[in-house]
Amino acid sequence: MKTLARIFLACLMPAGAGRAAAQDFPKAAVPAAGPRDWTWVQGAVFVPTNCVNEAQQWDEYDPAINDRELHQASAYGINMVRVYLHYYVYLKKRDSLLASIADFLGRAGKYGIKTEFVFFDDCWNQPPEELLSPGYRYPAPIRGVHNSQWLVSPGEEVRTHYEQHRARLKAYVQDIVSAHKADPRVAFWEIYNEPTKSDATVRLERDALAWIRETGTLIPTTATGREFSGGPFSDFPSWHEYGGYAVLGDGRSLCTECMNRQGQDVPGIVGHFRGKVGYIMWEFGIGRDNCRFAWDENREHPRKDEPPRPFHGIVYPDGHPWSLEDARALLGSEGFARARFFAVTYYRDDSFASAAKTSVTPMIDFDLGDEEGTGSPDASAGVPREHFSIRYTGAVLAPDSGPYTISADCDGRIEVLLDGRPVVSRTAPERGVSTGTVELEAGRTYPIAVRYAHATGGASLHLSWSGPTFATRILEPASHPEGL
């Protein structure tokens, strides 16, 4: 097998490339930022639900899925996302990574969401050298195993040969920070997640803090403290709370990880933390990183079935929450009552006969794939990944008078009724796009009903519309569904 160093020579930029921008900034350390109030933060770790880990998140960056799930996050009151980066992806495709980060910040900012980036992480699996290959394919999640493909960054190989990698590690940090050193969409830089107290980790923390300060950024930095080694390298204290609802410090500290349903839940986190400290929950999406399985459901003891209560995660890929009580807690009772949602009912069959769950969703827009567990819209409720059906009801508002085109891009059977009138109807099992046109009056709200039935393969449904004064966009509800 090639060594990591040889792969660098084969597929990476020349040594020193990408660091030129750093020389434009003063070398003097920027003073640590003063006290800040983080009580406004209601955040979540953000990994797109189609990705198995943070490296795939950036290596195969998909603007559409990121936009969709950031949109969902904003609909549930999330105002900050905690986003992991990976050193290997920088080595593999520096320019692409920088462009993807800029794109992501634009999309998060559009929905009023701040971002914090994590550069390094001491948790889980070592990154494979093959990841640096242009043709690398990310492995599927391991059934029943928590966080089964998550990767350490930068990895033991890099830390063992630190001096050989130090210049590139510096370039990785400084290229990203320099591009956004005064970007108001970046809430803070997180040097290290759960850093151990080993000499190698502390050395990298110390260096990374210096590299960030060299850029001249005034955006604050942190690294996980308390039982971890990040405290001395932080402009403000950050900590993790998974044991219960203990609050560390005050509003000037920030809980950057919490929420596991063996000892906590979303209403409990919100009820105990809101107004006292900011909090970032693990995690927003319930997807292919397998964090719906618990910590002790590991490679030695994989779970054989789907957990009825996801260990982590708030919202499924199609946009509905695991629990309506989670949504009520995040939005507050008044905010939830005002929120614009479709009502949605999931069925265990493809003929709308055996109801499994009723919930809400801010949009009808998803791709589920065809894997056990994540191929279902809600495996925790017993919905299978094959031969299921979904019914949506709600209302839409016509901003102008004239013709509107409703478009359904989906597999399986689909029927869309607007104001009781059939607009779209399709029975072919393969994926395709079906459209229909209807005349609507400006300012009127119309009831809508959608019935979708899935047979086999990957499930997808994207309901959009266009009107007299706007191009095609995802169809969004105009009101809150009655009775929810």
Side-chain angles (χ1 to χ4, degrees):
M1 181 180 292
K2 292 182 179 179
T3 66
L4 192 57
R6 288 180 61 195
I7 294 177
F8 287 166
L9 293 175
C11 64
L12 304 181
M13 60 187 177
R19 297 199 303 276
Q23 68 188 12
D24 298 330
F25 303 118
K27 299 299 183 183
V30 177
R36 284 173 168 78
D37 181 1
W38 296 105
T39 55
W40 60 271
V41 175
Q42 178 167 270
V45 172
F46 185 86
V47 183
T49 54
N50 67 324
C51 294
V52 297
N53 58 38
E54 78 282 33
Q56 187 178 25
Q57 177 175 358
W58 295 107
D59 199 0
E60 299 178 359
Y61 181 75
D62 185 327
I65 291 175
N66 279 272
D67 194 276
R68 178 194 310 164
E69 297 187 0
L70 286 166
H71 190 174
Q72 294 171 359
S74 70
Y76 290 103
I78 298 299
N79 58 27
M80 181 185 286
V81 286
R82 183 173 188 244
V83 182
Y84 284 77
L85 303 170
H86 202 284
Y87 175 58
Y88 273 37
V89 179
Y90 174 84
L91 294 175
K92 181 177 182 178
K93 51 198 318 181
R94 169 191 175 271
D95 292 346
S96 177
L97 174 62
L98 295 177
S100 296
I101 288 171
D103 181 85
F104 182 90
L105 286 170
R107 295 176 189 281
K110 176 176 65 174
Y111 297 116
I113 296 174
K114 300 281 189 180
T115 301
E116 64 108 331
F117 291 110
V118 184
F119 288 101
F120 302 111
D121 182 13
D122 272 352
C123 295
W124 302 100
N125 306 296
Q126 292 298 319
E129 294 179 2
E130 293 81 4
L131 192 157
L132 291 165
S133 167
Y136 179 73
R137 297 187 58 145
Y138 286 81
I142 301 173
R143 177 73 177 154
V145 175
H146 174 88
N147 220 349
S148 63
Q149 304 294 355
W150 196 263
L151 299 177
V152 170
S153 178
E156 197 58 35
E157 165 71 17
V158 174
R159 300 196 328 163
T160 301
H161 302 93
Y162 185 73
E163 289 306 318
Q164 178 181 335
H165 293 269
R166 189 175 182 276
R168 293 186 186 276
L169 288 164
K170 181 177 181 179
Y172 162 61
V173 171
Q174 290 194 334
D175 279 355
I176 294 167
V177 174
S178 296
H180 302 283
K181 68 172 186 171
D183 194 328
R185 300 169 299 182
V186 178
F188 58 92
W189 307 110
E190 186 159 3
I191 295 171
Y192 223 118
N193 173 67
E194 297 194 354
T196 66
K197 296 181 179 179
S198 70
D199 291 343
T201 292
V202 171
R203 175 179 55 186
L204 181 51
E205 288 180 281
R206 183 180 297 111
D207 280 351
L209 177 60
W211 299 333
I212 291 172
R213 295 259 174 93
E214 280 182 15
T215 68
T217 184
L218 294 178
I219 296 172
T221 65
T222 196
T224 318
R226 198 158 65 174
E227 68 268 40
F228 301 102
S229 63
F233 310 104
S234 300
D235 291 330
F236 64 91
S238 64
W239 48 286
H240 294 172
E241 178 54 63
Y242 283 118
Y245 299 113
V247 174
L248 179 68
D250 54 21
R252 293 171 293 181
S253 66
L254 180 62
C255 180
T256 52
E257 278 188 28
C258 56
M259 212 292 286
N260 78 90
R261 290 192 178 91
Q262 286 185 348
Q264 300 168 323
D265 57 27
V266 173
I269 290 291
V270 174
H272 286 86
F273 285 13
R274 181 177 281 170
K276 298 176 184 176
V277 293
Y279 47 92
I280 299 175
M281 294 166 284
W282 195 298
E283 62 191 316
F284 179 69
I286 304 171
R288 297 182 72 234
D289 67 4
N290 269 18
C291 289
R292 67 190 187 278
F293 298 104
W295 289 318
D296 58 357
E297 291 162 354
N298 51 39
R299 292 174 188 242
E300 289 72 36
H301 306 94
R303 187 182 179 107
K304 303 301 182 184
D305 62 349
E306 282 293 320
R309 284 171 59 93
F311 184 72
H312 289 315
I314 302 168
V315 172
Y316 284 97
D318 75 329
H320 83 277
W322 173 73
S323 167
L324 284 175
E325 293 309 308
D326 291 356
R328 289 190 179 96
L330 292 170
L331 291 167
S333 56
E334 293 184 4
F336 181 77
R338 293 193 305 268
R340 296 182 301 165
F341 290 121
F342 294 110
V344 53
T345 302
Y346 299 92
Y347 297 85
R348 298 183 184 91
D349 60 89
D350 57 9
S351 56
F352 309 94
S354 177
K357 183 175 185 176
T358 297
S359 188
V360 296
T361 184
M363 60 188 69
I364 304 172
D365 183 27
F366 64 82
D367 297 288
L368 298 182
D370 191 25
E371 287 178 345
E372 189 71 30
T374 56
S376 161
D378 193 328
S380 70
V383 181
R385 81 175 191 271
E386 296 183 342
H387 300 292
F388 66 80
S389 51
I390 310 175
R391 183 174 186 269
Y392 302 89
T393 57
V396 296
L397 174 66
D400 301 285
S401 294
Y404 287 76
T405 298
I406 310 297
S407 176
D409 176 0
C410 67
D411 71 288
R413 306 194 312 272
I414 184 76
E415 181 182 36
V416 180
L417 286 81
L418 194 61
D419 199 24
R421 293 172 284 174
V423 180
V424 176
S425 181
R426 182 170 177 272
T427 59
E430 69 276 1
R431 182 165 179 174
V433 178
S434 300
T435 62
T437 302
V438 61
E439 290 280 335
L440 303 178
E441 296 179 16
R444 278 195 60 187
T445 299
Y446 295 86
I448 187 170
V450 180
R451 288 160 56 96
Y452 160 76
H454 169 72
T456 61
S460 296
L461 174 55
H462 308 278
L463 193 67
S464 58
W465 69 336
S466 59
T469 59
F470 63 89
T472 301
R473 66 192 186 200
I474 291 298
L475 182 67
E476 295 185 57
S479 60
H480 191 85
E482 294 181 6
L484 290 175

